[in-house]
Amino acid sequence: MYELLRHRFNPALCGDLDATVEFNWPASACRFGIHHGEVTFYEDPSESPEPELVIYFTDEQQAHSIITGSINPIEAFMAGDFRSNGYIVWVFQTLAAFSGGKSQPA
């Protein structure tokens, strides 16, 4: 997941988002910070700040599909297919930040 996010991050699309975010699913999680148009990945959760935003997916494949656009994130969110701990605007700013970038590995 980290590799996918690294390749898809586009600082021009993150707006004014300034938060530590966790993508969470039952088997694992992925934590990163977006601050001042830059992303920092925390592959060791013990070395990261507590997330201000947690986005809960059913599994890693669902997260991958939403990030790559195989699943429409707005429709999926409205259907309750994934959820967050709040900050709805941040959810979509975060997804927008990863909606494009350099190459897109599978």
Side-chain angles (χ1 to χ4, degrees), residues 18-95:
D18 186 24
T20 300
V21 179
E22 180 176 285
F23 286 173
N24 185 293
W25 51 89
S28 189
C30 178
R31 206 176 273 185
F32 52 89
I34 298 176
H35 306 283
H36 310 291
E38 296 183 9
V39 65
T40 302
F41 295 98
Y42 303 110
E43 294 188 52
D44 180 352
S46 69
E47 295 180 6
S48 78
E50 285 298 310
E52 296 148 294
L53 172 66
V54 180
I55 302 174
Y56 300 94
F57 299 97
T58 56
D59 55 35
E60 186 174 1
Q61 182 57 49
Q62 181 196 45
H64 183 281
S65 295
I66 288 172
I67 292 164
T68 60
S70 301
I71 294 175
N72 181 300
I74 295 171
E75 290 175 8
F77 191 84
M78 297 304 288
D81 293 339
F82 74 101
R83 62 186 179 82
S84 74
N85 66 337
Y87 307 107
I88 303 306
V89 172
W90 286 6
V91 170
F92 291 102
Q93 281 183 304
T94 299
L95 295 177

